[in-house]
């Protein structure tokens, strides 16, 4: 069991389970983030937002 001191809740996380945030887990007696190195969000945003400005630069 490990104690997470990251937020004000100070969760006591047992081995293999998650804290209140459902992000931190306990492995080998230490608290680690489960989502480290994984894709957590994605946003599709166009490179050129205003096409008329692109046309003015080309001309």
């Amino acid at each position: 069991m490990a104690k997470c001191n990251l937020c004000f809740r100070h969760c006591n996380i047992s081995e293999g389970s998650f804290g209140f945030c459902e992000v931190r887990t306990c492995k080998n007696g230490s608290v680690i983030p489960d989502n480290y190195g994984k894709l957590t969000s994605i946003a599709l945003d166009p490179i050129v937002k205003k096409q008329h400005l692109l046309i003015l630069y080309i001309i």
Side-chain angles (χ1 to χ4, degrees):
M1 181 174 273
K3 185 172 184 178
C4 179
N5 293 319
L6 194 65
C7 70
F8 66 92
R9 294 184 187 274
H10 300 289
C11 299
N12 288 321
I13 305 172
S14 58
E15 189 73 27
S17 64
F18 293 94
F20 182 81
C21 65
E22 297 291 327
V23 174
R24 305 275 187 263
T25 186
C26 178
K27 289 187 181 174
N28 299 327
S30 63
V31 178
I32 60 167
D34 189 50
N35 62 350
Y36 183 77
K38 297 179 182 176
L39 183 65
T40 56
S41 67
I42 188 168
L44 300 175
D45 197 21
I47 295 172
V48 178
K49 295 184 181 189
K50 296 182 180 180
Q51 293 292 330
H52 65 277
L53 290 178
L54 180 65
I55 294 171
L56 291 176
Y57 288 130
I58 293 173
I59 298 176

